[in-house]
Amino acid sequence: MSLTHYLVLAAILFAIGATTVLLRRNAIIVFMGVELMLNSTNLLLVTFSRMHGNLSGQVLAFFVMVVAAAEVVVGLAIIVTIFRTRRSASVDDVNLLKS
Amino acid sequence: MHTLISLTAPALAPTVTPVMTTAWDGAQAALWLVALPLLSAAVLLLLGRRADRWGHWLGVLASAGAFVVGLVLLIGLLGRPAAERVQDVDLGTWLDAGALSIDAGLRVDPLSLTFVLLVTFVGTLIHVYSVAYMEHDAARRRFFAYLNLFVAAMLLLVLADSYVLLFVGWEGVGLASYLLIGFWNHHTPYAVAAKKAFVANRIGDVGLLVAMGLMFATFGNLDFASVDAGVAGASEGTLTAIGLALLLAACGKSAQFPLQSWLGDAMAGPTPVSALIHAATMVTAGVYLIIRSGVIFAAAPTAQLVVAIVGAITLLFGAIVGCAKDDIKKALAASTMSQIGYMVLAAGLGPIGYAFAIFHLVTHGFFKAGMFLGAGSVMHGMDDQVDMRRFGGLGRYMKITYFTFMAGWLAILGIPPFAGFFSKDKIIEAAFVPVDGQPWRAWVFGAVALVGAGVTAFYMSRLFFMTFEGQKRWSRTRDGGEQHPHESPALMTWPMIVLAVGSVGLGWVLSSVGFVEWLEPSVGHAEHADPVLAVPLIIGLTLLAVGLGLVLAWRRYAVSTVPVTPPVGTVLTRAARVDLYQDAVNDALLVEPGQYLTRSLVYGDKAVVDGAVTGLGRTTVGLGDLVRRVQNGYARSYAAVMVVGVVVLAFVVLAARG
């Protein structure tokens, strides 16, 4: 398993996550896409950490997880509130800021 | 405060003008000449309707008071030797700005005092006449306020001792004439006539402003004393330029060619206004300006020649126009233009003509005012009819008007011993005197003045006969009734009688008391010079021309029947009826190009200036519209933009690093 494999896998995951964010309307699925992108970067951090024999990459990955968890909590709370008021979790319905 | 202090101080600068030797404190009274009518005008205008009941009498009183002050000054001046008859009254510093320091002051001398007495005497009579003439006008008080303003401005004009203060009076006269010509401005053509007079006068005012600028640049100051002293050191080119600019100013105010077109239309004002404008104030101002600036013209022979040429042209122009006008007031207006032409011609002859120009101005002031008031009286009796073809035979119904008008008529004809003979004949004689040894000038100007006298006799007799002699050609009154011509009330006839007495005797009286010598301290002494023809021959020829014109007019307008509708007439008649196409020429040369220019400027302003500003705004709005489309509110499209942006940035960074 060379470095390239990890990089390609991370790129693929990131691309899938980004595509999910751009294409899906359901806010929860969009959230999952965001998580996927975060985790693909985590994979890269860990990979480079192993390659360089330096632990700071792994530490950073933990930070990312913690922040992601916090973000998910807040994000899900917002999504639930929106769903309660508008009976929909579609991202495209939430365009009130436009005008 | 400063003014008040310096009023009490002995105020003269004897070193500047050699004529002035000692100050005469009595001359301070000249301030009241301007102040009285001005105060009265202010009171009448400020009190408004509260002064309606007695306002006109206050106006008469102010004007008469000014005349009394003038008389007192006259007696004072006569009591002094001729060398001390030029008195300057200092009113303190007026404008003080760096290099420009101008004192306000009045000059009391024979010239200004002659004008003062003419303006206040004739002006007072016209005031009295107006009391009756304007009786049924609701705005009579306002009318008298304007009349007083007119008189005050004219007095300031002739009393000022510097061109700047003169300019104040000059503009005041222009303003008052505008207000009075357009007094019945609810009638649009009258308002337009007032505007026309104002605009034509503005053109002249530009001339005066240019002249003042040149004078300040050349002499460093604008009072008469400094200008007189500085002329010797100035170049002839500069003086010619100043002289021509002054002539332009005089042309505007005195209705001389080519700025004369406003005078005929100025008949829109009430008749006493016409009398005031034509006899005492306004049109005489140009003659005054030229004679007051005599020192400049003496040093600029070219400018002086142009003055004489303008006078000669206007003299004939007005006379020809006068022959064709059927409106009694317009015919009188054309005659004023022609007579002022005589004065300007005389003023263009140099010192030899100055005194005669003023002499004719004074006698003309009397007989022209008398005739205008007579015309007003005729209109009063004929239900405001002005068409002379609708008069005829009025002499039997309005005896006083008839005889007073006859005095004015004989005076303007120059029949001895009426006033006009003494003044106009002198001008014709002076025109025959060769200037600078150039006999062609004597022949040309003399012939023009002589022919003018004949044409004057024709059109003035035509006016007189068509109005007072011949058969009745009366139309119905405006409400369809019969015309009942009647004599005017005493308040109107008495001023006419006084003016008629002046028209009869003033010429003889003034020439026998030495009017010309009285003016010498102001206008200078003229050496006697022989005309190219013998004097009795000139007088004979003049009387012959006058007689010819008179007989011709008698045969055509008194003996034979005058058609009620004007006949088609010759080419010249048709041209004269429309002021020799002066209005058409002005329209084609100035008015229409001017309007075209303003229209294109307005268009240019809209297209270029406004276009740039609104275009900038519209572009910004359009750009905003485009950018706004991006802000569609969909989170996913924002995210897409972010992703694309990051990818593009990544590529750019990678490409930059190679």
Side-chain angles (χ1 to χ4, degrees):
Chain A
M1 296 283 273
S2 70
L3 175 66
T4 320
H5 292 107
Y6 290 100
L7 291 186
V8 169
L9 177 62
I12 290 172
L13 283 177
F14 190 89
I16 292 172
T19 316
T20 312
V21 170
L22 294 185
L23 296 185
R24 296 304 297 265
R25 287 201 182 86
N26 192 319
I28 304 203
I29 308 287
V30 169
F31 240 82
M32 287 163 67
V34 173
E35 292 306 313
L36 201 54
M37 288 156 79
L38 284 171
N39 281 321
S40 77
T41 45
N42 278 348
L43 180 59
L44 279 180
L45 285 170
V46 175
T47 307
F48 283 112
S49 168
R50 267 294 287 264
M51 204 182 86
H52 293 295
N54 186 338
L55 282 181
S56 46
Q58 301 195 17
V59 174
L60 196 54
F62 275 113
F63 270 112
V64 172
M65 281 178 193
V66 173
V67 172
E71 176 233 319
V72 165
V73 169
V74 176
L76 276 178
I78 292 173
I79 290 169
V80 168
T81 321
I82 288 176
F83 186 77
R84 276 191 186 156
T85 49
R86 303 177 67 98
R87 290 279 139 203
S88 150
S90 168
V91 200
D92 286 358
D93 287 346
V94 196
N95 58 354
L96 288 176
L97 279 179
K98 183 186 164 192
S99 53
Chain B
M1 207 55 215
H2 188 85
T3 314
L4 287 177
I5 293 167
S6 57
L7 259 181
T8 53
L12 271 186
T15 50
V16 187
T17 356
V19 191
M20 288 180 295
T21 44
T22 46
W24 173 47
D25 285 339
Q28 309 283 2
L31 188 60
W32 286 106
L33 280 171
V34 183
L36 275 177
L38 199 61
L39 282 176
S40 161
V43 166
L44 291 180
L45 286 176
L46 290 177
L47 279 190
R49 299 211 172 280
R50 267 160 289 189
D52 268 353
R53 219 157 26 81
W54 44 266
H56 43 282
W57 290 117
L58 178 68
V60 174
L61 204 66
S63 182
F67 174 66
V68 171
V69 175
L71 268 188
V72 170
L73 284 173
L74 173 71
I75 294 166
L77 271 202
L78 285 177
R80 307 186 73 76
E84 291 175 18
R85 282 187 188 163
V86 179
Q87 297 285 340
D88 278 5
V89 182
D90 189 10
L91 300 180
T93 306
W94 177 29
L95 302 173
D96 191 8
L100 179 75
S101 171
I102 290 164
D103 290 347
L106 303 178
R107 170 171 285 198
V108 181
D109 69 349
L111 179 62
S112 64
L113 206 56
T114 305
F115 269 88
V116 164
L117 289 172
L118 174 72
V119 171
T120 50
F121 184 71
V122 176
T124 306
L125 290 178
I126 293 171
H127 274 72
V128 173
Y129 178 92
S130 306
V131 170
Y133 190 84
M134 299 297 283
E135 194 174 358
H136 303 296
D137 198 300
R140 178 165 63 164
R141 170 193 50 80
R142 194 159 53 86
F143 183 76
F144 274 84
Y146 293 162
L147 280 189
N148 274 334
L149 183 66
F150 210 160
V151 169
M154 190 65 194
L155 291 177
L156 183 63
L157 194 162
V158 297
L159 281 167
D161 79 338
S162 68
Y163 284 96
V164 187
L165 198 58
L166 180 146
F167 190 66
V168 175
W170 189 270
E171 290 299 303
V173 168
L175 167 71
S177 67
Y178 170 77
L179 292 172
L180 284 168
I181 293 170
F183 189 71
W184 290 322
N185 57 10
H186 43 80
H187 188 49
T188 311
Y190 292 0
V192 172
K195 194 172 75 179
K196 187 174 176 185
F198 201 69
V199 171
N201 271 290
R202 289 284 80 63
I203 298 171
D205 296 345
V206 172
L208 189 49
L209 279 173
V210 170
M212 285 202 292
L214 283 171
M215 280 189 240
F216 187 70
T218 315
F219 309 123
N221 211 331
L222 288 169
D223 56 306
F224 296 147
S226 313
V227 172
D228 289 358
V231 163
S235 75
E236 191 181 323
T238 316
L239 292 174
T240 306
I242 296 174
L244 291 179
L246 287 173
L247 174 64
L248 178 66
C251 282
K253 210 49 110 198
S254 286
Q256 295 296 294
F257 183 81
L259 293 178
Q260 83 286 30
S261 62
W262 64 270
L263 194 67
D265 290 10
M267 292 302 108
T271 309
V273 175
S274 309
L276 198 59
I277 286 181
H278 287 249
T281 58
M282 192 84 180
V283 295
T284 55
V287 183
Y288 171 80
L289 183 70
I290 292 176
I291 291 176
R292 188 53 104 186
S293 315
V295 183
I296 293 173
F297 284 103
T302 318
Q304 198 161 41
L305 179 61
V306 178
V307 172
I309 292 173
V310 165
I313 292 177
T314 316
L315 186 171
L316 285 182
F317 194 110
I320 292 169
V321 170
C323 292
K325 289 287 181 190
D326 289 329
D327 182 322
I328 185 170
K329 285 176 74 182
K330 293 207 166 158
L332 283 173
S335 118
T336 301
M337 199 193 293
S338 171
Q339 297 300 311
I340 304 279
Y342 269 106
M343 298 168 208
V344 172
L345 170 64
L349 296 172
I352 187 170
Y354 289 162
F356 299 136
I358 299 296
F359 193 179
H360 192 50
L361 199 153
V362 173
T363 56
H364 174 260
F366 273 78
F367 58 69
K368 187 50 67 61
M371 283 193 284
F372 260 114
L373 297 188
S377 170
V378 169
M379 286 162 61
H380 194 77
M382 290 292 281
D383 192 39
D384 282 341
Q385 175 66 267
V386 289
D387 187 357
M388 293 192 291
R389 294 187 184 276
R390 289 301 190 169
F391 291 158
L394 288 177
R396 291 188 290 281
Y397 297 87
M398 312 170 86
K399 283 271 185 265
I400 301 177
T401 308
Y402 175 66
F403 283 111
T404 54
F405 205 100
M406 183 188 270
W409 166 59
L410 291 172
I412 196 173
L413 254 54
I415 307 266
F418 291 89
F421 170 74
F422 292 90
S423 53
K424 197 159 82 176
D425 207 68
K426 287 287 181 198
I427 292 182
I428 298 176
E429 276 172 34
F432 269 111
V433 172
V435 182
D436 302 336
Q438 293 168 303
W440 69 268
R441 288 178 56 169
W443 287 109
V444 170
F445 292 137
V448 167
L450 195 59
V451 171
V455 184
T456 305
F458 174 73
Y459 71 80
M460 284 314 295
S461 309
R462 171 180 180 270
L463 190 158
F464 185 76
F465 293 144
M466 277 174 95
T467 306
F468 294 105
E469 306 286 352
Q471 288 123 8
K472 301 174 194 173
R473 303 177 297 274
W474 305 343
S475 60
R476 300 244 155 198
T477 55
R478 276 169 300 188
D479 42 17
E482 292 284 325
Q483 287 278 20
H484 293 290
H486 53 86
E487 190 53 89
S488 302
L491 271 179
M492 283 166 73
T493 51
W494 272 108
M496 284 152 58
I497 292 169
V498 174
L499 288 169
V501 169
S503 310
V504 174
L506 195 67
W508 179 78
V509 169
L510 285 185
S511 63
S512 55
V513 298
F515 183 70
V516 173
E517 289 76 32
W518 147 256
L519 282 176
E520 264 177 14
S522 302
V523 302
H525 178 70
E527 292 300 326
H528 178 75
D530 284 322
V532 288
L533 291 174
V535 172
L537 185 61
I538 295 177
I539 297 178
L541 282 176
T542 311
L543 287 179
L544 186 68
V546 168
L548 271 179
L550 180 63
V551 170
L552 195 61
W554 170 259
R555 288 192 45 181
R556 287 194 59 178
Y557 298 105
V559 181
S560 49
T561 320
V562 178
V564 171
T565 48
V568 182
T570 61
V571 179
L572 185 62
T573 315
R574 286 200 297 274
R577 277 189 194 134
V578 289
D579 301 331
L580 298 179
Y581 301 115
Q582 176 73 23
D583 282 340
V585 170
N586 282 354
D587 271 359
L589 281 185
L590 301 168
V591 178
E592 272 162 29
Q595 284 174 344
Y596 187 76
L597 182 69
T598 48
R599 270 202 299 272
S600 34
L601 280 179
V602 166
Y603 176 77
D605 181 52
K606 275 220 174 87
V608 179
V609 180
D610 288 9
V613 175
T614 52
L616 190 65
R618 221 172 275 148
T619 315
T620 314
V621 169
L623 278 177
D625 239 16
L626 276 180
V627 177
R628 189 173 61 86
R629 302 244 169 90
V630 179
Q631 302 290 324
N632 53 11
Y634 294 113
R636 293 186 306 135
S637 80
Y638 300 158
V641 170
M642 253 158 78
V643 170
V644 171
V646 167
V647 170
V648 167
L649 270 179
F651 270 106
V652 169
V653 169
L654 287 178
R657 291 179 64 185

